[in-house]
Amino acid sequence: MAAAAVAGSVLRGLLRRQLSAQCQPLLSFRAMSSAPEQPHASHSYETLKVSRVREKVFHVELNRPDKRNAMNAVFWREMVECFNKIAQDSDCHAVVVSGAGKLFTAGIDLMEMGSMFMMVEGDDTARKAWNTRKKIREYQESFTVLERCPKPVIAAVHGACIGGGVDLISACDIRYCTQDAWFQVKEVDIGLAADVGTLQRLPKIIGNQSLVNELAFTARKMMAPEAESSGLVSRVFQDKQAMLEGAFELAADIAGKSPVAVQGTKVNLVYSRDHSVSEGLRYMATWNMSMLQTEDLMKSAQAAMEKKSTKDIVYSKM
């Protein structure tokens, strides 16, 4: 309805621009980069590897392959640093997250993290509990930052995705996996309830409370076919290479569209998930009362009239 309301003014604007002798070309050819991954100079981490794989597409790898990408204390901190930086980077419009080595992640690094929670500071039970809660909230932020990042985040999972790995991918926008991938809400097997996002996000992703309860209560493995049929992942690939190529191509397609449209869509999807329909509609109306004034709308409308792809449009950075 909003698009229809502005269609008349958009078309009138197009006609004026087409009649103007000083009108600058809106469209230019933009070839898809097929160059190998290039490490990103502004991102240097111990547990993550960040590279640019396509135009405006970043690849973030969990990079502790010798430790099965187990999540240690440094990882939790670096995830926040990395995605806060990506959120502000106008050269990035979409992100792919994968794991280096033989599997996506074995989850929390029990050898390191277990000792941290056994030695919480505090003079009594109340103060220890207060500090424990503070630490858990910090770890929750490590994955909430993926959800809050306005750039779409695509998880590409191969092999095992255990415990904290399920928390991580639940905060991503799109999930792909290989046919040998499997997923496990492992926390009950180590004596705790999952506390960094799985229990809150997974029911809304799968939409089957019975299945979520079964997975969370039993810690059984969910194999790739079941993950696809349940809606946890949207595509299954033969192997890791094919999956990464598929994820990069998807990210490039997203990155080629208006960043005003894509980032606004993600913000409103996340908001609407956690609010009523009427609240979501009010938020959307407030959002678009300014965003409909973007030049991207004019450029996209002209490309559609000329039967050209959005990949040929040069949008301003955002």
Side-chain angles (χ1 to χ4, degrees), residues 296-316:
D296 293 8
L297 183 61
M298 193 77 70
K299 295 178 179 181
S300 300
Q302 182 173 344
M305 291 175 63
E306 297 177 358
K307 299 186 180 345
K308 293 183 178 180
S309 169
T310 54
K311 293 179 181 179
D312 298 322
I313 306 173
V314 178
Y315 294 110
S316 297

Side-chain angles (χ1 to χ4, degrees), residues 93-96 149-154 173-174 251 254 262-263 266:
H93 286 187
V95 187
V96 174
C149 176
K151 321 300 172 67
V153 181
I154 302 161
D173 302 294
I174 299 169
I254 293 170
V262 171
Q263 295 181 37
K266 174 169 179 175

Side-chain angles (χ1 to χ4, degrees), residues 5-232:
V6 298
S9 61
V10 169
L11 292 176
R12 286 193 296 273
L14 284 174
L15 290 174
R16 285 196 298 271
R17 289 178 176 227
Q18 288 170 347
L19 291 172
S20 172
Q22 296 182 346
C23 179
Q24 297 297 319
L26 292 174
L27 306 175
S28 67
F29 178 74
R30 199 169 54 184
M32 180 71 70
S33 170
S34 58
E37 296 187 23
Q38 298 296 325
H40 202 287
S42 67
H43 290 268
S44 179
Y45 307 106
E46 291 181 33
T47 67
L48 303 172
K49 177 184 176 183
V50 181
S51 54
R52 180 178 179 273
V53 291
R54 299 285 192 280
E55 185 177 359
K56 298 179 181 177
V57 175
F58 284 13
H59 181 199
V60 177
E61 278 189 292
L62 312 187
N63 195 36
R64 300 184 74 210
D66 56 326
K67 299 292 185 180
R68 303 196 303 166
N69 295 324
M71 301 171 177
N72 63 357
V74 176
F75 166 84
W76 297 98
R77 172 176 51 81
E78 289 186 337
M79 281 290 289
V80 176
E81 293 175 5
C82 177
F83 277 90
N84 277 338
K85 187 177 291 187
I86 286 174
Q88 300 299 319
D89 192 336
S90 61
D91 288 328
C92 176
H93 286 187
V95 187
V96 174
V97 177
S98 72
K102 296 181 179 180
L103 50 82
F104 184 71
T105 178
I108 191 170
D109 189 330
L110 288 173
M111 296 298 293
E112 178 179 325
M113 304 301 293
S115 60
M116 289 180 61
F117 281 100
M118 294 297 292
M119 297 183 293
V120 178
E121 293 182 358
D123 293 336
D124 59 18
T125 300
R127 288 167 176 79
K128 289 180 179 179
W130 184 270
N131 290 329
T132 298
R133 181 183 185 276
K134 180 181 177 182
K135 184 61 66 177
I136 292 171
R137 290 292 289 162
E138 289 174 358
Y139 292 152
Q140 289 173 344
E141 177 66 13
S142 298
F143 298 150
T144 297
V145 72
L146 299 169
E147 189 173 79
R148 194 172 57 246
C149 176
K151 321 300 172 67
V153 181
I154 302 161
V157 179
H158 75 290
C161 178
I162 302 170
V166 179
D167 293 293
L168 188 161
I169 67 168
S170 295
C172 294
D173 302 294
I174 299 169
R175 289 161 294 277
Y176 283 178
C177 76
T178 57
Q179 62 185 8
D180 69 344
W182 52 274
F183 307 83
Q184 188 175 24
V185 184
K186 183 69 172 173
E187 283 80 357
V188 294
D189 276 354
I190 57 174
L192 56 90
D195 57 5
V196 288
T198 289
L199 302 185
Q200 292 70 38
R201 296 186 176 101
L202 196 59
K204 296 180 179 180
I205 293 169
I206 292 179
N208 182 333
Q209 190 67 53
S210 176
L211 177 57
V212 172
N213 292 349
E214 178 187 334
L215 295 170
F217 293 156
T218 67
R220 76 164 175 84
K221 296 179 182 179
M222 172 187 271
M223 311 308 289
E226 185 181 8
E228 184 178 29
S229 65
S230 70
L232 178 59

